[in-house]
Every structure is written in structure tokens, then in C-alpha cells.
Amino acid sequence: MNTATAAAKTMTRTWQSLCIRADLVPFSGVAAWVETTEGPAQVAIFYLPGYDTELYALDHHDPFSSANVIARGIVGDLKGQPVVASPIYKQHFRLEDGQCLEDESVTLRTWKVSFKGDEVWIEA
Amino acid sequence: MSTTSLTTKQSLIIIGNGMVGHHLVEQLVEQGATERYDIVVFGEERHLAYDRVHLSEYFSGRDAASLALSTRGYYTEHGVTLHLHAAVTGIDRERSEVITDQGRHPYNRLVLATGSTPFVPPIPGSDRENCLVYRTLDDLDAIRAAAKNATTGVVVGGGLLGLEAANALRGLDLDTAVVEFAPRLMPMQVDSEGGGLLQEKIEALGVQVLTGRVTQRIENGEASFHRMVFQDEKVLETDLIVFSAGIRPRDELARDCGLEIGERGGVVIDDRCLTSDPAILAVGEVALWNNSIFGLVAPGYQMAKAATGTLLTSSSEPQGGTFHGADMSTKLKLMGVDVGAIGDAHGDRTPGAKMFRYLDEIKQQYRKLVVSSDGRRLVGAMLVGDNSVYDTLLQYYANGLDLPEDPAALILPSSEGTPALGPDALPETAMICSCHNVTKGDIRATLDAGAVDLGTVKDSTRASTGCGGCTALLKSVVDHELEARGVKVDKSICEHFHYTRQELYDIVRVEGIKTFGELIDKHGSPDTHKLGSSSAPMLGCDICKPAVASILASCFNEPITDAAHIPLQDTNDTFMANMQKNGTYSVVPRVPGGEITPDKLVVLGRVAKKYELYTKITGGQRIDLFGARLEDLPAIWGELIEAGFETGHAYGKSLRTVKSCVGSTWCRYGVQDSVGMAIYLENRYKGLRAPHKIKFGVSGCTRECAEAQSKDVGIIATENGWNLYVCGNGGMRPRHAELLATDMDEETMVRTIDRFLMFYVRTADRLQRTSVWRENLEGGLDYIKQVVVDDSLGLGAELDSQMQTVVDNYECEWANAIKDPEKLKRFRTFINDARPDPDIIVTEERGQLRPA
Ligand SMILES: Cc1cc2nc3c(=O)[nH]c(=O)nc-3n(C[C@H](O)[C@H](O)[C@H](O)COP(=O)(O)OP(=O)(O)OC[C@H]3O[C@@H](n4cnc5c(N)ncnc54)[C@H](O)[C@@H]3O)c2cc1C
């Protein structure tokens, strides 16, 4: 996809190894440092074993409290959509696309994550 | 409204800021009278108008503030000038002025709302020290003070208020007697059969009852402060006397300025509440209408309403209606004994009246119906020992409904229960709340206008906010009407379960369900969305997951950090610490009873320094260490556990602290070892998870330095054991705890607390503190007493054994987690990097670190 005209700054997300399955907590979240195209980021990884989509990656940073805590929220579902509730002020974010359900204007960044064997890989 | 605006307002003075005087102000404000009048109120008492009807609750835990009917702010906001502690000493009708110690105040219109005063019979010695009355907050303070040095008390007068006063003396730990001049108790409300039954019941409570006694004089006693000498020269010794021999209207101002006064007192008023001087009105207990004084609050409120109309209209048919007299039917519970009197309860005012009577000497219940000579209408009724049919009878009486074929069925016990008059059978005009004049029609109108629950109906009609006698009836009417409108009240805890917390609790307990997965599998709502295409079960949410986690912990007390439970917990429970606003945690080790050794204090200081924690003493007598980073928590706890600390559950909806005073070990006043008791209780209940946090307090004497009466469970030492208070709260909505049981030995007390806590755990809603639970519990404190003290539901043994399970399975959660490397993995800030979170930035203040 890279063309000569594209600015040097435009970087493509690339798949990188992050951790192993045993580092995850089933039905809950953990936080990891990830080198993204936009620089280093704290990312929350959620693990729902046995579901259609087993892994999700969202910003660990909670924009409402400005603290890095999203991975420590409770994972659940509302109206059939998997969500995480911020542990500080309890807003819900959709795991699929990071949309905040209480405030349309707020979205967390999301990344693709998947298992490669026992390893967890992220495209960032 | 005319186009010419009034240039100057008229002056309206109200004398008396009691229940009716205040109600008048509210009515005037509501009707916009402040446009026309400058309103000035003089009240002789120090306190702003308060709920005299519930005055006795001042002795069972409520304070002046919670009895207040209003606030200074309300008066200021509506421009009503209020002078408290300012008695009016005279009325100058010629100059239209009232006189106080401060000066003279002109009026255009004047309202007397001076109430009444207890009658003290002119017996020689009735003015001795420690001869008191029962009418105001100050009176009750005086009684409480006098009771400190007394062991016995006598109430002169066995009427309604006398029995209430006797109950209060009993509550102050006095050996109590009631002396009544008539041959039976409550001669106004009950006949000799009813009176006899009442007397038996009251004597069974340990109150001595002497009827047919006329006190001749009161003199110095030998064993006690007073000696009362009766007509037959028999004597009774006592330390304290409370006179409750009837009330007299406070008509002295009216008398002195020449207004018309009734033969036996009372300011004569007409249907518009006007006295013999049309510039002056009278309302409430001071007013005499049609030769009757009305000693109840509801008729007073009706007069206030009529007076408002009179003050706002010049015509002879004022808007708000006129006063037509009032029904004096009453329903009360005296020392736990139901007494009810409706209409012509004695049947001596209705020519040709016929009676039905039912007396059960085993259950101690007496019921009497007085019907019209043709047997078609109810003209009166009398109930002792059981008021369950009162509401039904009152509706028959007040609405003139046709009696059933066989009226006796209304008072006879029947296998199907009493034929209650359903809310359906009531006519639109049926009066539901007589304090605020609310009919069934008014309630329906409110619902038609969009109200959807009881609370809204109460707010907009004020029904049941007066004397509260109609609470149950109001609820049944509202429920019925809502049902008829197809409104279903949804009490589901969230979209995943169509159950209340209490129902979920029962399911978990009865089916022995031990995990959230099993519960949602078996009992999750079938109609909510499945996740994606898979048949995988729903996940739950941040409402039901912690609620179920708490229920599972209350029932089985397995470690909350076990794999099956960890995804259910709030972050605080997951990491067993309290998350602060910058994502760091605070750590609070348990300090049972607030007692801590110097060695342990040194450890706390050392740990705080090493991990750079901010330290603060908490309100619960322990030490909070703030600013701990997630990854440091295991190391911090390693050191704390090493030194003998345990987790303090400051993060959990669970037992927090048992605060104590220093007690008899050191204190000159202490009568019991409050610290020892607090430590014992804290160790017993630590780790108990509940719908919300629970706090205890233990005081070593009645000085109450541990502030136990603001706790969920408060214990106060007495010379004979311990008094137990429950359902108090500090915080945003302070509430005094209420006395549940007195003078218990330790074993009884612990058992009572076990049952109380488990009953709360079982029946409360999620995140409902004991205070709110208590307020919403139908039957209130009495019901709690029946269940936990009298074991009325036969649940006692079960509650005991459930508590024992929790106590037996206690394990310090931190000690459990520290041993398990799998569990400790959770405490890494980042799974792929050991560096701390660089966004946590701190700054120094007063020698400690705090979030920047
Ligand atoms: C213990 C107790 C229990 C009761 N229980 C019930 C019940 O269950 N149901 C029921 O319906 N009723 C009950 N009552 C009665 C009820 O409280 C009264 O009917 C009601 O308070 C009457 O209101 P009021 O404003 O007329 O008089 P009050 O409430 O007595 O108010 C009159 C006020 O005027 C003040 N005042 C008098 N003279 C002056 C002056 N010269 N200058 C300035 N101020 C003055 C007084 O100090 C007082 O504060 C009970 C009363 C008591 C004492």
C-alpha cells in the first residue's frame, strides 16, 4: 500500500507479539504497553473464552477520569453487545469499537488482536 | 386579579409556631398569600415547628432536627418573618397590636394558633420539683434529665397521651406506674371490657396500673423523692411524676383581650375560623368550634385550610371551603398494643344504636361495632389488641357505606380472613388521608396526570405525610389503581435477571448455586439478547455481577479472588484495595476496635515511608495508606501480614469497623469494657459481605463517645448489660439508630446481632444501607423486632447457622492471595513491562505526597 507519494509519517499498523494466553484473565482485562503507529500506548486486553470473538483491545486510558484503568473494569454485555464499565465513573465502552454508550462523542481506540497458537498478537 | 395593584401589603400576624400554625404558613404560601400580606410569626418555643404527634420518638433515637416540620430557609425563602423563643404577652385590639417583650407589632389580621397546654390538677404538691408534663421537646429534655437520678416514675392520667408518656418512662429504664382517676384506662376511647383488656396487656409489659385513684397530695417520700397520697390514704412512692390529665386550650391571650371564650375554655370560632372579632382568627387546639375542642392534628390542618380561604377571600363562602367539624376517629399503638376508636364508639350518642361485640381472652382481642337502629350503617367501632380491621371499618363509617348482610362478619375471626373492603369498593369521595384532605378521587386524578408510583402520589398530594395513619390504605389504593391501569412495577435488578436481589439471594441459597455462571445459565432472563451467533451464555454486567458476587460471599464466603469469582468483582474487590481518582489504591489494614500496639504503629509508619504512601487517620479509628501502586500491593501486604495485620475490607461492601470508646478499663464513667466488646464483634463479623458496607460502634456508657447511634449497629453499655441500636447512618443522610433491645447479656446480644445482620443481608436491595432498608421495610422497626428478637418467622435457627458458616469460613483475603502466585499475577500493572505507570504523578503537600 505504501506509495512514494505517501508522507513518510503515514505508517501501517503491523502485527506484533504481545504476551501469552496465560497472561490473560478470563472474562476480565489486563493492561499492556504497545508500540503503535502513534507512539507507545497503554492497551487493555479483554479475554472472553468460548465466545465468537475471544479477544478485544482498547485504550487503557479512561478519558473521563484521565487515569489508566480501563483494563480493571467489569466486563459484561448490554443489549447483546460486550462492554466494559470504567471502574472510576462507571461509563460503559463497547468492546467492539470503543464507543462510549453514555456519551456519543467519546470513543476509545481499538486494535485487532488474535491468538497465534498460545501467543497473543496485536496489530498496532 | 384587579388591575390596580396593592400599593402596601397588609400585616398578618400568626401567634404560635406549632403544628397547625406552621401548616397555616404552608397553606398561605401555597395560595400566594404572601402577595397580599407581610406575614410575621411568633413562636414561644425555642424550636421551629416540629412533629408533636411523633414527639415520643425523641426518646427512641430521633432528634429535634429530624422532627422539624420545616427549615428557617423555607421561611426566609418565602419572605415570612419568624421570631422563635418570642412569646406574645398581650393583644391590644383597640390599636390592633400584639405585644411582646421586644415591643409592639401592628396587625391587620391576626391568627391565634397557640395550641394547648397540659392540665396539671391543683393538688397540693403538684408544683414540686420533678413534677413534669409531656408536650414539648423541652418537656422531654426535662424528663430525660430527671430520669437520670430516678429509678421509679408515675404518670398521672391513663388516657392516650398518658400511656404514651408511661411508655417513654419505661424506655428510660424507670419502674413505671400509671395512676388513672376513672375506673379504667383510656375512658374516652374504650369501654370497661376494652379497658380491662388494655390494662392486662399493659401490666404484662411491666407497667403498674392503678385505676379509680384520686391523688390528694404529694409530699416528701421516704424511699423515693415523692410520696403520692390517695383518697383512701393509700400511698405510692416515686422519684418522678408526669402529669397527663388532659389538655387545656391556651386561650389566655384571647381571654385577656375580651374575645368570646367557651364555658370550659377555647376561643370560639365559626365555620370560617373567625373569632368574635372578625380581624382575628383561631385555628388548632386553641379553637372551640360548635362547642368542641379538637385535640388531633387532622382537624387542625382542616382549620388551617379554611382560615387560609378566609384570609384570601372577602366573600362569606371562601374558596378553600369552611370548617365543618372533623372526625375524631383514632387508631394508635400504645406500648405495642393496638387501640382504635371510630365515631360513636360508646354508642351513647346515637339513639337506638345496636352493638356487636367480640372478645377473645386468649389472643386478647376485643372488637365492638355500633350500628344504626336498622342495622344498615356503621356509627361507631372500638378495637383493642388488633387494629387490622380499622381501615375497613373507618371506610364504612366515613362514607356511610351499606353494611354487609351480617355486620358481625366484620369483626368475627373467619377462616378466610376478614372481609376487607377492597380499594375497589371505595367511592371516589372516600377520604384516604384526612390530615391533607386527600380522597380516592384525588389519587386517581394524580395517576391520570401521569404519576407512576407511590412516591410521586405522596409528593403531589402529600397523602400520608401527616399523622401517617393512612400509609397502608394509601399504598393499597395506589397499587390497585396502578394495576388497573396495567402498570407493572419492574423490580428486576438489571436486564440479565428478572429478579430482585432478595429473590436472587433466595435462589442461590435454596438451590445451593455457587457460581455466577451457573446462576445466569439457570435463571438468566431468557428474553434478552444472546451474544453474537454463538449459544454462549450472557456475561452479565457491572450491576448484577458484583451483586451476585456479594450474595455468593454472604452465603458461602469463598475467597473472592478465586478464579470463578474474580471477573465478578468491582476493581476494589479484585485488587482488595480502594481505587483512588488517579488509579492508585489505598490500603487499610484492620485495627479491631481501634486498639493498636506501638509495634504495629511502627510497622505502618515504616511501610508507608518505604512505599511513599500518604497516611491519614480514618473516622473508623484506623489508618489509611494512600497512593499505593497496583504492582506494589502484594509487597506492601507481605510486610503487613508478616507483622500480624489482616485486611480491613475497606474496599468491600462488608463489615468495615467497630468503633469504640476506651470504656471501663480507663474511663471514670465507663460501665463495661467497650474495647473488649468491639474487638470481639469486629473479629466475629470481619469478612461478612452484605448489600452495602456495615459499621458498628460500641460505647462503654450512655455518654456515647463512640457515636454508636450513628452506626448500622450500635451498642451502648448499661449497668445491666448492653443496649442494641440498629439502622443508624452518618454520611449524606444522617439517621439516628433505633433501640432494638435493652440490657442484654453478651450471648443474647451476639445472637441478636447475628440474626439482625443476616436478615438484612437476606432481604435488602443491592447497595441499600441498613437505614434505607429499614425505612422501606413494611412494618418498620417493629417488624425487625418481631423477626430477630421474637423470631416470629421461625427463621432464627437458620439465620444463626448461616452466620456461623460465614464466621467459620473466614480467611484473610490478602493472606489467601499472597500464597498463590496465580492470583498475584493479577497485580502486574502491565503484563509485558515491569515499569510503573508513568502517568501517575504526585506532588508534595504538608510533608506528604498527593496526586498532582
Ligand atoms: C405526645 C403527643 C402525642 C400526640 N399524638 C397525636 C396523634 O397520634 N394524633 C394526632 O392527631 N394528634 C396527636 N397529638 C396532638 C397534636 O400534637 C396536636 O393536635 C397538634 O400539635 C395541635 O397543633 P397546634 O398548632 O394547635 O398546637 P401546638 O402544636 O401545641 O402548637 C402551639 C404552639 O404555640 C405556641 N404558643 C402558645 N402560646 C403562645 C404565645 N403567647 N406566643 C407565642 N407562641 C405561643 C406554643 O408554644 C406551641 O409551640 C399528640 C400530642 C402529644 C403531645
Side-chain angles (χ1 to χ4, degrees):
Chain A
M1 282 279 223
N2 266 349
T3 65
T5 51
K9 273 185 192 156
T10 314
M11 305 220 324
T12 325
R13 288 188 167 188
T14 52
W15 282 95
Q16 35 183 305
S17 161
L18 192 64
C19 61
I20 58 168
R21 191 186 295 261
D23 287 324
L24 304 175
V25 182
F27 301 105
S28 188
V30 294
W33 272 113
V34 177
E35 272 311 320
T36 73
T37 48
E38 296 156 20
Q42 299 190 16
V43 177
I45 315 286
F46 297 97
Y47 179 32
L48 305 183
Y51 284 78
D52 284 356
T53 308
E54 288 196 309
L55 286 173
Y56 295 93
L58 288 80
D59 268 321
H60 184 40
H61 185 77
D62 172 15
F64 293 99
S65 62
S66 286
N68 301 320
V69 294
I70 292 294
R72 298 179 221 161
I74 292 182
V75 174
D77 58 82
L78 288 180
K79 308 227 157 41
Q81 304 165 332
V83 295
V84 58
S86 159
I88 296 202
Y89 300 120
K90 318 290 177 195
Q91 292 87 356
H92 298 92
F93 299 95
R94 206 147 57 197
L95 294 185
E96 195 64 56
D97 57 4
Q99 176 63 51
C100 171
L101 301 186
E102 284 79 12
D103 185 342
E104 251 181 46
S105 68
V106 177
T107 335
L108 301 182
R109 291 179 295 173
T110 54
W111 293 270
K112 286 187 187 152
V113 263
S114 65
F115 283 116
K116 288 193 180 163
D118 230 15
E119 283 186 15
V120 178
W121 283 65
I122 185 165
E123 192 193 32
Chain B
M1 262 265 147
S2 66
T3 44
T4 51
S5 65
L6 298 163
T7 44
T8 49
K9 288 194 200 175
Q10 292 206 310
S11 152
L12 169 63
I13 291 184
I14 300 172
I15 310 180
N17 189 234
M19 294 191 78
V20 176
H22 171 69
H23 193 75
L24 176 63
V25 170
E26 281 190 345
Q27 292 288 316
L28 288 167
V29 166
E30 247 168 60
Q31 300 300 320
T34 43
E35 307 264 308
R36 176 177 328 183
Y37 293 106
D38 275 327
I39 305 176
V40 180
V41 180
F42 291 95
E44 170 196 69
E45 293 187 64
R46 288 184 294 131
H47 301 96
L48 198 131
Y50 52 88
D51 186 353
R52 206 178 301 286
V53 169
H54 294 107
L55 184 65
S56 295
E57 292 176 16
Y58 189 56
F59 279 152
S60 55
R62 285 181 71 179
D63 59 5
S66 83
L67 285 168
L69 292 174
S70 186
T71 57
R72 281 252 179 208
Y74 173 88
Y75 279 75
T76 321
E77 185 190 330
H78 294 100
V80 177
T81 311
L82 176 63
H83 299 286
L84 290 178
H85 214 183
V88 170
T89 53
I91 300 170
D92 182 341
R93 283 168 58 200
E94 244 151 61
R95 296 170 56 179
S96 289
E97 287 175 347
V98 303
I99 304 159
T100 68
D101 286 348
Q102 260 63 53
R104 289 177 161 259
H105 312 265
Y107 65 83
N108 299 103
R109 302 302 292 270
L110 177 63
V111 184
L112 297 167
T114 48
S116 46
T117 188
F119 172 64
V120 177
I123 312 167
S126 64
D127 54 353
R128 287 162 55 90
E129 199 186 323
N130 291 345
C131 282
L132 304 160
V133 294
Y134 198 85
R135 174 93 195 167
T136 65
L137 284 170
D138 285 348
D139 292 340
L140 266 59
D141 282 335
I143 292 173
R144 200 193 314 246
K148 288 229 164 84
N149 305 312
T151 54
T152 52
V154 165
V155 175
V156 176
L160 192 159
L161 294 181
L163 293 182
E164 229 184 280
N167 194 36
L169 295 190
R170 207 174 128 242
L172 292 169
D173 285 339
L174 301 185
D175 270 335
T176 306
V178 174
V179 174
E180 167 60 48
F181 141 99
R184 60 171 186 273
L185 291 174
M186 294 191 69
M188 306 282 278
Q189 287 84 4
V190 304
D191 58 17
S192 52
E193 227 130 29
L197 198 57
L198 187 60
Q199 178 162 349
E200 257 176 58
K201 289 194 154 222
I202 283 172
E203 284 173 339
L205 297 171
V207 173
Q208 199 188 345
V209 178
L210 305 169
T211 53
R213 288 295 169 90
V214 184
T215 312
Q216 298 287 359
R217 58 180 187 279
I218 304 167
E219 49 192 40
N220 277 333
E222 261 163 39
S224 310
F225 189 76
H226 305 291
R227 163 188 286 173
M228 305 173 66
V229 184
F230 301 113
Q231 79 275 30
D232 48 8
E233 290 299 314
K234 285 194 174 145
V235 299
L236 177 66
E237 296 229 335
T238 179
D239 295 322
L240 171 92
I241 299 176
V242 175
F243 285 101
S244 181
I247 51 171
R248 293 292 177 269
R250 293 201 55 182
D251 53 15
E252 62 272 9
L253 292 174
R255 218 179 264 275
D256 293 347
C257 71
L259 293 179
E260 186 185 345
I261 302 289
E263 239 170 67
R264 285 162 45 230
V267 182
V268 174
I269 59 164
D270 66 7
D271 294 0
R272 305 175 57 203
C273 296
L274 292 174
T275 66
S276 54
D277 176 345
I280 305 181
L281 294 81
V283 292
E285 284 189 356
V286 73
L288 184 77
W289 179 88
N290 200 14
N291 231 350
S292 301
I293 290 279
F294 296 86
L296 293 175
V297 71
Y301 282 5
Q302 287 161 29
M303 289 182 202
K305 200 164 182 194
T308 303
T310 305
L311 288 166
L312 286 176
T313 34
S314 32
S315 76
S316 58
E317 228 347 278
Q319 265 169 8
T322 52
F323 183 72
H324 310 288
D327 180 33
M328 295 295 281
S329 301
T330 32
K331 162 169 86 165
L332 29 116
K333 202 182 201 88
L334 288 164
M335 306 194 202
V337 183
D338 281 339
V339 178
I342 292 174
D344 183 7
H346 292 282
D348 52 8
R349 285 178 276 150
T350 316
K354 305 251 181 332
M355 317 216 183
F356 295 84
R357 291 206 194 101
Y358 174 77
L359 174 67
D360 177 341
E361 291 191 328
I362 299 210
K363 287 204 188 126
Q364 297 193 302
Q365 298 178 349
Y366 176 62
R367 300 193 268 276
K368 174 165 119 181
L369 291 184
V370 184
V371 302
S372 57
S373 56
D374 59 2
R376 302 273 306 274
R377 297 272 184 276
L378 187 68
V379 298
M382 187 181 292
L383 302 168
V384 177
D386 173 24
N387 268 346
S388 57
V389 295
Y390 178 92
D391 288 344
T392 301
L393 296 182
L394 182 66
Q395 292 302 330
Y396 275 109
Y397 166 75
N399 298 301
L401 303 180
D402 278 342
L403 281 169
E405 199 67 35
D406 178 16
L410 291 172
I411 54 169
L412 289 176
S414 75
S415 41
E416 306 100 79
T418 3
L421 189 59
D424 214 12
L426 298 176
E428 288 284 292
T429 53
M431 183 60 72
I432 306 298
C433 169
S434 47
C435 291
H436 292 288
N437 248 320
V438 183
T439 63
K440 180 177 163 192
D442 296 333
I443 292 169
R444 290 175 51 124
T446 321
L447 292 169
D448 289 339
V452 289
D453 57 21
L454 185 60
T456 325
V457 172
K458 273 189 176 177
D459 284 349
S460 64
T461 62
R462 308 190 62 197
S464 99
T465 60
C467 74
C470 65
T471 312
L473 180 63
L474 176 71
K475 182 172 180 331
S476 81
V477 170
V478 171
D479 284 353
H480 177 83
E481 289 295 326
L482 282 176
E483 208 171 298
R485 287 165 166 73
V487 179
K488 272 225 187 68
V489 189
D490 185 8
K491 290 192 179 148
S492 306
I493 154 165
C494 68
E495 67 177 54
H496 300 98
F497 293 98
H498 281 340
Y499 295 103
T500 61
R501 178 190 177 275
Q502 182 178 353
E503 288 162 345
L504 284 177
Y505 185 96
D506 289 337
I507 291 171
V508 164
R509 196 173 43 83
V510 172
E511 301 185 14
I513 292 176
K514 289 198 150 182
T515 63
F516 181 83
E518 190 183 344
L519 185 67
I520 199 163
D521 219 26
K522 288 193 179 156
H523 299 284
S525 335
D527 50 326
T528 38
H529 331 258
K530 287 280 175 205
L531 268 185
S533 61
S534 70
S535 56
M538 292 171 297
L539 294 164
C541 65
D542 55 316
I543 304 290
C544 60
K545 287 171 112 182
V548 171
S550 158
I551 292 173
L552 293 171
S554 299
C555 287
F556 310 112
N557 215 10
E558 293 177 346
I560 55 166
T561 47
D562 281 3
H565 306 317
I566 205 74
L568 309 181
Q569 315 293 341
D570 272 320
T571 186
N572 286 354
D573 275 317
T574 308
F575 300 105
M576 298 178 290
N578 293 47
M579 184 184 270
Q580 304 300 325
K581 64 180 190 180
N582 63 349
T584 65
Y585 291 85
S586 77
V587 171
V588 193
R590 192 167 289 294
V591 179
E595 183 185 83
I596 186 164
T597 61
D599 282 342
K600 281 189 163 175
L601 272 178
V602 169
V603 172
L604 289 181
R606 202 187 63 220
V607 168
K609 273 179 98 162
K610 178 161 167 193
Y611 297 94
E612 302 191 307
L613 307 176
Y614 167 95
T615 54
K616 179 156 193 338
I617 312 279
T618 73
Q621 301 186 331
R622 42 194 197 175
I623 294 169
D624 206 336
L625 313 170
F626 286 84
R629 291 162 181 272
L630 182 60
E631 65 273 16
D632 285 340
L633 287 173
I636 290 173
W637 271 104
E639 296 190 29
L640 292 174
I641 287 171
E642 177 78 34
F645 282 106
E646 289 184 318
T647 184
H649 293 99
Y651 45 82
K653 307 293 178 222
S654 55
L655 176 81
R656 295 285 170 86
T657 62
V658 182
K659 181 173 178 175
S660 68
C661 69
V662 77
S664 56
T665 322
W666 292 90
C667 175
R668 293 178 282 153
Y669 301 111
V671 294
Q672 307 272 4
D673 174 16
S674 47
V675 179
M677 177 55 80
I679 293 174
Y680 172 80
L681 292 173
E682 186 155 345
N683 282 323
R684 181 170 180 80
Y685 300 115
K686 65 189 175 191
L688 169 69
R689 282 201 152 68
H692 212 307
K693 61 186 170 191
I694 302 173
K695 298 178 177 180
F696 278 44
V698 182
S699 278
C701 78
T702 52
R703 283 177 178 72
E704 242 284 68
C705 298
E707 297 165 329
Q709 286 170 94
S710 63
K711 305 290 186 229
D712 299 278
V713 175
I715 294 136
I716 302 179
T718 70
E719 253 135 45
N720 310 317
W722 304 90
N723 283 354
L724 177 61
Y725 294 78
V726 294
C727 304
N729 198 2
M732 191 158 73
R733 266 189 58 205
R735 179 178 198 278
H736 267 143
E738 295 161 302
L739 188 60
L740 186 70
T742 54
D743 289 335
M744 284 181 291
D745 58 46
E746 293 177 9
E747 199 187 320
T748 316
M749 181 177 71
V750 170
R751 194 183 57 229
T752 312
I753 300 176
D754 279 1
R755 292 181 181 181
F756 168 76
L757 289 176
M758 264 302 156
F759 186 51
Y760 160 64
V761 165
R762 229 169 135 144
T763 57
D765 272 342
R766 70 178 264 281
L767 302 186
Q768 195 173 42
R769 289 291 296 267
T770 58
S771 55
V772 180
W773 169 69
R774 146 75 179 85
E775 276 163 14
N776 287 309
L777 198 65
E778 219 156 294
L781 184 70
D782 281 340
Y783 182 58
I784 297 179
K785 251 186 215 165
Q786 285 161 18
V787 176
V788 309
V789 181
D790 309 332
D791 196 13
S792 62
L793 300 181
L795 276 179
E798 196 180 321
L799 297 175
D800 293 346
S801 90
Q802 275 179 279
M803 183 59 85
Q804 204 51 50
T805 306
V806 171
V807 173
D808 291 344
N809 289 330
Y810 169 80
E811 184 188 2
C812 168
E813 291 159 0
W814 263 109
N816 171 286
I818 280 275
K819 316 187 281 231
D820 187 341
E822 260 314 299
K823 288 180 176 171
L824 291 184
K825 262 173 45 186
R826 200 75 237 261
F827 291 88
R828 292 178 294 176
T829 293
F830 303 107
I831 48 173
N832 58 351
D833 200 320
R835 277 175 303 171
D837 181 353
D839 292 344
I840 298 175
I841 300 165
V842 290
T843 166
E844 204 180 294
E845 184 176 75
R846 293 185 293 275
Q848 299 207 66
L849 295 178
R850 66 157 179 87

